[in-house]
């Protein structure tokens, strides 16, 4: 299809508009949320964490880093640890991407890679969305109905983001006034069929209050700092170079275009396109 000049192929993993919109819109929106919650000025934003996915959402973290001084943590499935270990594999955290480094991921500005288990996401999906799980959270953990309803809205990749935030907080030994920002990128309604599948796979088809307690203990209280990497120059270079095989060798991106992404001036220059796009949209709408 790409060979036909009549076709325009949009690839979310290499479409810089994806990056630009998240940096120009999602990032400032999260900054406003942070500032709204910090009316007493006693909270300290420390990081933005999100799954790699197409790489677009991570651009919100670049705005926050420049505005608030926060770190950027990149989450990936432990079962497919491409960024962590140059690894591969299969996982069930749907929608978070795997097996390659997106072209629009500004690797040289990322600070952490955080591995999150798909089994943990499956287990917490059961905990948040089954009667036994909710009874345990209410009766034994004092979770109120409002928070319970919010937890039930989290899909698999949203749960991964929350777990990544917990792991970052524990790695950095954060306190109660420190804030880790993330996003809920999907809803639990998308995964109703996954509940029985996960119960069969991980719990022999039976998820009761005992297994709910085990799940909470293992994946929430027991969330540790394993399978995390704090990125320095050489770790960033390793991940950046890994993208060469996808984008230059396979997709035909010119090497010069691939390499210019090392420099932060390339990324910092992209938001300048936003007012130009606005003008083009205004002209189109006025025509």
């Amino acid at each position: 299809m790409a060979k036909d000049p009549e076709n325009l192929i949009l690839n979310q993993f290499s479409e810089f508009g994806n990056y630009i919109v998240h940096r120009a819109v999602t990032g400032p929106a999260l900054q406003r949320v942070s500032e709204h919650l910090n009316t007493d000025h006693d909270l300290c934003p420390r990081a933005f964490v999100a799954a790699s996915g197409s790489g677009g959402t991570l651009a919100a973290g670049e705005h926050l880093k420049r505005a608030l001084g926060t770190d950027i943590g990149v989450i990936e499935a432990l079962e497919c640890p491409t960024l962590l270990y140059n690894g591969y594999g299969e996982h069930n955290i749907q929608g978070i991407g795997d097996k390659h480094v997106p072209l629009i991921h500004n690797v040289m500005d990322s600070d952490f890679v955080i591995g999150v288990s798909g089994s943990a996401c499956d287990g917490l999906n059961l905990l948040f969305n089954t009667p036994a799980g909710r009874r345990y959270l209410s009766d034994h953990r004092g979770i109120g109905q409002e928070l319970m309803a919010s937890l039930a809205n989290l899909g698999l990749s949203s749960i991964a983001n929350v777990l990544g935030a917990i792991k970052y907080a524990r790695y950095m030994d954060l306190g109660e006034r420190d804030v880790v920002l993330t996003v809920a990128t999907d809803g639990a309604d998308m995964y109703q069929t996954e509940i029985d599948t996960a119960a069969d796979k991980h719990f022999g088809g039976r998820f009761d209050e005992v297994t709910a307690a085990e799940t909470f203990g293992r994946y929430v209280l027991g969330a540790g700092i394993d399978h995390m990497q704090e990125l320095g120059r050489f770790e960033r270079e390793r991940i950046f170079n890994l993208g060469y095989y996808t984008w230059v060798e396979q997709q035909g991106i010119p090497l010069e275009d691939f390499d210019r992404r090392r420099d932060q001036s390339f990324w910092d220059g992209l938001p300048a396109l936003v007012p130009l796009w606005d003008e083009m949209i205004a002209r189109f709408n006025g025509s």
Side-chain angles (χ1 to χ4, degrees), residues 108-129:
M108 303 305 289
D109 203 31
S110 296
D111 300 294
F112 287 83
V113 177
I114 305 168
V116 170
S117 166
S119 298
C121 297
D122 285 342
L124 293 183
N125 187 38
L126 286 165
L127 187 67
F128 300 156
N129 292 288

Side-chain angles (χ1 to χ4, degrees), residues 151-169:
L151 293 174
N153 286 328
L154 299 178
L156 294 176
S157 65
S158 300
I159 292 171
N161 284 350
V162 172
L163 286 173
I166 293 171
K167 293 187 70 169
Y168 174 88

Side-chain angles (χ1 to χ4, degrees), residues 151-229:
L151 293 174
N153 286 328
L154 299 178
L156 294 176
S157 65
S158 300
I159 292 171
N161 284 350
V162 172
L163 286 173
I166 293 171
K167 293 187 70 169
Y168 174 88
R170 290 186 174 163
Y171 182 93
M172 298 297 289
D173 195 25
L174 300 187
E176 63 181 9
R177 310 313 296 172
D178 294 310
V179 177
V180 181
L181 296 158
T182 190
V183 288
T185 47
D186 60 358
D189 286 345
M190 298 173 61
Y191 305 109
Q192 291 300 309
T193 58
E194 294 290 332
I195 291 177
D196 289 340
T197 301
D200 290 339
K201 179 179 179 181
H202 301 293
F203 301 101
R206 181 179 180 182
F207 191 80
D208 54 23
E209 287 194 47
V210 173
T211 48
E214 292 173 350
T215 298
F216 186 86
R218 181 181 300 122
Y219 297 130
V220 179
L221 298 181
I225 61 173
D226 54 327
H227 303 293
M228 292 184 61
Q229 188 171 61

Side-chain angles (χ1 to χ4, degrees), residues 1-248:
M1 293 179 65
K3 294 179 180 179
D4 186 340
E6 294 296 317
N7 295 328
L8 177 63
I9 307 299
L10 297 178
N11 182 342
Q12 63 175 333
F13 299 100
S14 59
E15 174 52 61
F16 285 97
N18 182 3
Y19 168 93
I20 292 168
V21 168
H22 280 292
R23 181 160 171 176
V25 178
T26 310
L30 287 167
Q31 181 184 353
R32 287 194 293 273
V33 170
S34 175
E35 292 170 347
H36 175 74
L37 295 174
N38 196 17
T39 53
D40 293 332
H41 305 289
D42 61 346
L43 300 178
C44 180
R46 297 295 299 271
F48 171 75
V49 302
S52 172
S54 67
T57 306
L58 292 172
E62 294 181 48
H63 170 85
L64 294 169
K65 174 178 279 193
R66 287 153 181 77
L68 304 177
T70 47
D71 286 335
I72 299 172
V74 185
I75 297 166
E76 69 174 354
L78 182 58
E79 292 82 359
C80 185
T82 304
L83 308 182
L84 272 172
Y85 306 129
N86 291 13
Y88 53 88
E90 301 297 330
H91 66 89
N92 194 45
I93 312 176
Q94 299 172 34
I96 73 167
D98 56 25
K99 300 185 182 72
H100 76 288
V101 183
L103 190 70
I104 63 170
H105 177 186
N106 182 5
V107 172
M108 303 305 289
D109 203 31
S110 296
D111 300 294
F112 287 83
V113 177
I114 305 168
V116 170
S117 166
S119 298
C121 297
D122 285 342
L124 293 183
N125 187 38
L126 286 165
L127 187 67
F128 300 156
N129 292 288
T130 61
R134 291 172 180 164
R135 280 196 304 272
Y136 170 78
L137 292 174
S138 175
D139 296 347
H140 299 282
R141 292 295 165 181
I143 302 297
Q145 291 304 307
E146 183 176 359
L147 178 55
M148 193 86 71
S150 296
L151 293 174
N153 286 328
L154 299 178
L156 294 176
S157 65
S158 300
I159 292 171
N161 284 350
V162 172
L163 286 173
I166 293 171
K167 293 187 70 169
Y168 174 88
R170 290 186 174 163
Y171 182 93
M172 298 297 289
D173 195 25
L174 300 187
E176 63 181 9
R177 310 313 296 172
D178 294 310
V179 177
V180 181
L181 296 158
T182 190
V183 288
T185 47
D186 60 358
D189 286 345
M190 298 173 61
Y191 305 109
Q192 291 300 309
T193 58
E194 294 290 332
I195 291 177
D196 289 340
T197 301
D200 290 339
K201 179 179 179 181
H202 301 293
F203 301 101
R206 181 179 180 182
F207 191 80
D208 54 23
E209 287 194 47
V210 173
T211 48
E214 292 173 350
T215 298
F216 186 86
R218 181 181 300 122
Y219 297 130
V220 179
L221 298 181
I225 61 173
D226 54 327
H227 303 293
M228 292 184 61
Q229 188 171 61
E230 188 169 358
L231 303 180
R233 172 192 162 191
F234 295 110
E235 290 82 9
R236 292 183 177 110
E237 290 280 0
R238 172 186 63 80
I239 298 171
F240 184 95
N241 293 342
L242 189 62
Y244 169 88
Y245 302 99
T246 298
W247 299 109
V248 179

